[in-house]
Amino acid sequence: DAKTTQPNSMESNEEEPVHLPCNHSTISGTDYIHWYRQLPSQGPEYVIHGLTSNVNNRMASLAIAEDRKSSTLILHRATLRDAAVYYCILKNSGGSNYKLTFGKGTLLTVNP
Amino acid sequence: EAGVAQSPRYKIIEKRQSVAFWCNPISGHATLYWYQQILGQGPKLLIQFQNNGVVDDSQLPKDRFSAERLKGVDSTLKIQPAKLEDSAVYLCASSLNRVTDTQYFGPGTRLTVL
């Protein structure tokens, strides 16, 4: 499985934007970039995903580098409820193995 | 829309005992997953079902873990006998299909083996 590299932890202040980086230098052409987050004592939840173009939804934006070797999850205005572990995952759509392989993720702390 | 249901939420057992977890996926979701999450780590896939057939169980410790999804709806995961290192949160997830669709996770069952 292609691997991702994320910082262990990041800190932000409430109502400020947060940029969560992810490196995936061995990404293949059929790998989608998925982001999930896990709030304390809950199961992971889907945030956003993309292939080549930048993506926006109600929760966040995903900025993908032109060479696709890195991406950034952007929370436009962090709230205390955004404090969670954020996972960047590559999911292959071209083969027979479609599973999500989670790393340790980035623990985001949001200060009031 | 009801989410993925799991029970029990917490379970404490002694080593060498047996334990079973239950999962009811979102209605209509063909794919069901069981994950193990050890404290401080990301979830690790144990087994993946497509309807009532196993797609991937490569990381399931088959000497002690078993899972079934009869009738392609709800599923049970069993550990027999449990070891100390099985202490973890067991997460169930489901998706409409396994190719491109989003996975929806349940709240998990926290297992403590003493």
Side-chain angles (χ1 to χ4, degrees):
Chain A
D1 293 329
K3 292 187 176 179
T4 63
T5 304
Q6 300 178 253
N8 290 333
S9 62
M10 289 185 66
E11 218 171 305
S12 73
N13 295 320
E14 202 174 7
E15 298 189 6
E16 291 184 357
V18 181
H19 291 233
L20 296 162
C22 181
N23 288 320
H24 29 78
S25 58
T26 59
I27 191 170
S28 74
T30 52
D31 284 335
Y32 280 78
I33 302 158
H34 286 247
W35 284 82
Y36 280 72
R37 72 179 185 181
Q38 189 170 21
L39 279 64
S41 301
Q42 295 187 28
E45 65 173 346
Y46 168 81
V47 177
I48 200 166
H49 77 281
L51 184 62
T52 56
S53 304
N54 294 345
V55 184
N56 300 296
N57 66 19
R58 63 173 181 81
M59 289 181 71
S61 295
L62 177 59
I64 301 172
E66 205 168 320
D67 62 5
R68 300 212 323 127
K69 294 186 176 182
S70 65
S71 60
T72 303
L73 179 70
I74 303 166
L75 306 179
H76 296 285
R77 285 183 73 219
T79 69
L80 296 178
R81 289 178 296 177
D82 291 321
V85 177
Y86 286 78
Y87 298 99
C88 170
I89 303 164
L90 300 183
K91 187 177 181 188
N92 192 286
S93 63
S96 60
N97 186 349
Y98 306 109
K99 66 184 180 184
L100 295 176
T101 302
F102 288 81
K104 290 190 174 183
T106 297
L107 175 62
L108 175 66
T109 301
V110 180
N111 300 314
Chain B
E1 178 182 84
V4 175
Q6 290 188 247
S7 69
R9 290 298 311 277
Y10 305 92
K11 190 73 176 178
I12 300 173
I13 62 172
E14 295 191 351
K15 61 182 178 184
R16 292 187 290 272
Q17 286 188 323
S18 304
V19 65
F21 313 125
W22 174 82
C23 171
N24 191 24
I26 293 173
S27 177
H29 281 195
T31 313
L32 185 147
Y33 314 79
W34 282 102
Y35 290 84
Q36 180 193 58
Q37 186 171 26
I38 292 172
L39 188 65
Q41 298 182 19
K44 181 183 83 171
L45 180 68
L46 292 176
I47 189 167
Q48 181 183 162
F49 291 94
Q50 180 70 16
N51 295 310
N52 59 351
V54 175
V55 173
D56 181 357
D57 63 356
S58 57
Q59 298 196 86
L60 186 74
K62 299 180 187 65
D63 57 334
R64 298 183 301 105
F65 285 64
S66 64
E68 60 182 11
R69 191 183 183 198
L70 300 176
K71 301 180 182 179
V73 181
D74 55 354
S75 175
T76 55
L77 175 70
K78 297 179 182 177
I79 308 175
Q80 181 179 9
K83 292 185 175 181
L84 296 177
E85 58 261 36
D86 298 331
S87 294
V89 175
Y90 291 85
L91 294 159
C92 179
S94 70
S95 62
L96 271 175
N97 64 69
R98 67 188 183 97
V99 178
T100 59
D101 208 53
T102 298
Q103 291 187 26
Y104 296 86
F105 286 79
T109 297
R110 181 176 298 276
L111 173 67
T112 301
V113 182
L114 302 175

